[in-house]
Amino acid sequence: MGMRVITLTPATSQEQQRALEEVKDFALTDMDRGGQERWTYRMLQEPALTEHLERIAEPRTFPSTSNPRPSSSALAVDAVSFQPCRSWHHRSQDRYVVEEWPLPGGSWTYTAVFDGHMNHDAVDHVSAVVGPLLRRELDAALRAAPSPSCPPNAVADLLRRTLERVDADLISAFTSLFPADPTHADPSHAHALLNDKGKGPGDGAAGHWRAARAFGGSTALVALVDPTQANLWVANIGDCVAVLAEKDGREGWRGTVLNVIHNGGNPQELARIRSEHPDEPECTWNDRVLGFLAPTRALGDAWLKLPAPYAALVFGHLDADWLAAEAMAQHVPRIRSPPYLSAAPDVYHRALDHGARVERVLVLASDGLSDLYDGCAFGEMAREWAGAVGGAADAGPSPGGRRANLALALLREAIGGADAQLVSRTLTVEMEERWMDDTTIVALRLS
């Protein structure tokens, strides 16, 4: 067989110049992993860098300027939700909600961040039901005792009961599929029941969605501000972070972390779980619940709260692209005395003294933001966040009258700030796997 010879025409100097021009903005990075592998990223310059960041983070401000009738008492809230890996499989599992509730006595502000894991079904459901349920409870309490606000402990109790009820409803909706001992469930019947999708995700009676919502999980960080802006409540389940940034004339901006973090990085949380399961050395290992889940409290995650036969049943029969049955089944033998995971929220109240003329911004963030400050003590991290949102707030509106989005300013600072190379790398690196966690930030101006 003869050999084919291909003749290539040498590139002209103009073609060579054009080729060099096309690659001059590209570079290689090890993403600080220290290995041999390198990935390509594109170096961006302003204004393209900021424009690219805004396209991905989708900054929003509430109340929307398109709303023809924003309430005079509505607080200004900025938000971003950021995941630079744009593949469908790695799309963000974070959710946030910002709402104004006209209630007896005035308008309340509700903000929340939810960080899902395992699937999107649980976090979609939780983020949709927490607000309406809490609003109904609060409305009933205010009608029973008319006032711009409820006693702080009463609102705290409402927050606690609401979140615990959402979790209980998730679990009971699933367990009601198997009223008898799941150990004796007929395999073919169980398979059919768990894979019945009914009319789609909105069909709450279908077995597939009940199982998906219960076996997926979500953290919850919820904040309420009363109509007088004299009281702030924060309820937390999981490892999202709330920071209160405050400014006075003497010290500038300072930040305070308002909540305890419920994950394996908190020794007290690990000790609590071990004390509840003293004869089970594998109840926590590798700083994770049963060696699997980083948050030590969450809504859903039914398999960590129910007897092992339920987990065996679902892992063995549920067909879902988010469920790696073989990988999950290895954890089932460790389930001996559930629950291992708590859904008990910590609730915090903060009285806001307006007499001191202190400027305040409440920051709610998923753990993707705190991950970007890995190695920082929490106090140092809070100061960094306060400096970022405070600096943006102090800058005032742009010459065109546009006010800075405080959540976007904090995100920009976290991924590199003025370091265009570092920000470009985060935004454009060409990797098939996700290189950073979902990061959602809500910034509420309280003054």
Side-chain angles (χ1 to χ4, degrees):
M1 182 176 181
M3 184 167 48
R4 296 182 61 188
V5 178
I6 300 175
T7 302
L8 299 177
T9 303
T12 66
S13 59
Q14 186 178 12
E15 288 171 335
Q16 290 176 344
Q17 184 63 35
R18 188 164 58 244
L20 290 172
E21 192 70 22
E22 289 176 352
V23 300
K24 71 180 179 63
D25 293 331
F26 288 85
L28 296 176
T29 177
D30 67 354
M31 294 302 286
D32 298 327
R33 298 187 178 188
Q36 297 298 315
E37 196 164 6
R38 297 292 183 271
W39 296 272
T40 302
Y41 73 96
R42 183 182 178 188
M43 186 69 190
L44 300 173
Q45 303 296 335
E46 296 294 0
L49 184 61
T50 295
E51 291 170 354
H52 194 85
L53 174 61
E54 291 183 351
R55 279 197 300 272
I56 298 176
E58 298 181 343
R60 295 184 64 191
T61 294
F62 305 84
S64 169
T65 54
S66 63
N67 181 356
R69 293 184 178 178
S71 166
S72 60
S73 63
L75 297 175
V77 185
D78 298 328
V80 293
S81 196
F82 181 71
Q83 177 46 258
C85 183
R86 308 303 284 170
S87 71
W88 175 255
H89 179 71
H90 291 301
R91 66 195 188 280
S92 177
Q93 291 182 319
D94 283 0
R95 305 289 185 270
Y96 70 86
V97 183
V98 177
E99 294 178 350
E100 180 193 359
W101 296 343
L103 295 171
S107 292
W108 290 64
T109 302
Y110 165 78
T111 52
V113 170
F114 303 93
D115 184 354
H117 47 263
M118 289 285 281
N119 61 33
H120 292 263
D121 302 286
V123 70
D124 282 343
H125 178 74
V126 166
S127 61
V129 301
V130 168
L133 178 57
L134 179 60
R135 180 175 180 172
R136 287 196 300 271
E137 294 290 328
L138 185 56
D139 181 73
L142 289 168
R143 290 184 186 280
S147 168
S149 181
C150 288
N153 60 341
V155 176
D157 287 342
L158 286 177
L159 280 162
R160 187 175 295 108
R161 290 201 307 269
T162 297
L163 291 168
E164 289 177 343
R165 177 178 166 183
V166 169
D167 184 68
D169 288 349
L170 279 172
I171 304 300
S172 63
F174 165 70
T175 56
S176 65
L177 294 171
F178 304 97
D181 184 350
T183 306
H184 304 298
D186 175 74
S188 60
H189 175 67
H191 186 86
L193 194 60
L194 288 170
N195 293 290
D196 173 19
K197 295 185 177 182
K199 298 177 181 179
D203 188 350
H208 177 90
W209 308 115
R210 293 197 201 186
R213 290 168 181 171
F215 272 63
S218 176
T219 66
L221 183 64
V222 177
L224 279 177
V225 180
D226 70 359
T228 65
Q229 298 183 35
N231 295 282
L232 164 68
W233 294 264
V234 173
N236 178 58
I237 300 175
D239 49 10
C240 293
V241 183
V243 165
L244 185 62
E246 299 177 288
K247 177 189 178 183
D248 60 37
R250 296 164 306 190
E251 301 179 17
W253 287 92
R254 61 183 184 273
T256 305
V257 178
L258 298 182
N259 63 294
V260 169
I261 310 304
H262 303 145
N263 67 15
N266 183 338
Q268 286 74 33
E269 282 290 288
L270 294 179
R272 175 183 61 79
I273 296 173
R274 289 169 186 152
S275 70
E276 294 168 356
H277 307 276
D279 300 321
E280 299 180 53
E282 291 187 332
C283 65
T284 67
W285 60 274
N286 197 28
D287 292 341
R288 290 172 176 261
V289 180
L290 290 192
F292 178 83
L293 190 66
T296 53
R297 305 190 197 189
L299 301 169
D301 295 298
W303 70 281
L304 292 169
K305 298 172 181 176
L306 297 172
Y310 286 101
L313 195 68
V314 171
F315 296 158
H317 294 287
L318 183 65
D319 297 328
D321 59 4
W322 53 266
L323 180 62
E326 292 184 3
M328 297 304 300
Q330 66 178 307
H331 298 283
V332 175
R334 301 191 185 109
I335 301 174
R336 293 169 50 191
S337 60
Y340 298 91
L341 192 71
S342 171
D346 284 335
V347 184
Y348 309 87
H349 170 256
R350 183 76 172 251
L352 304 176
D353 179 11
H354 292 283
R357 295 185 177 274
V358 176
E359 293 183 55
R360 296 184 177 93
V361 177
L362 174 67
V363 176
L364 307 179
S366 62
D367 68 319
L369 182 62
S370 52
D371 285 351
L372 293 171
Y373 290 81
D374 188 33
C376 283
F378 263 48
E380 180 184 355
M381 182 186 75
R383 286 192 296 274
E384 294 277 350
W385 292 14
V389 297
D394 289 344
S398 67
R402 183 182 179 187
R403 183 175 57 78
N405 184 297
L406 303 188
L408 183 65
L410 176 52
L411 174 64
R412 174 65 181 261
E413 185 63 29
I415 63 173
D419 188 334
Q421 182 176 14
L422 187 54
V423 177
S424 295
R425 189 185 76 171
T426 300
L427 294 176
T428 68
V429 66
E430 297 176 3
M431 296 178 68
E432 293 183 2
E433 61 186 284
R434 197 169 59 167
W435 55 92
M436 65 174 284
D437 196 7
D438 305 330
T439 302
T440 295
I441 306 168
V442 174
L444 170 66
R445 297 176 189 245
L446 291 168
S447 55

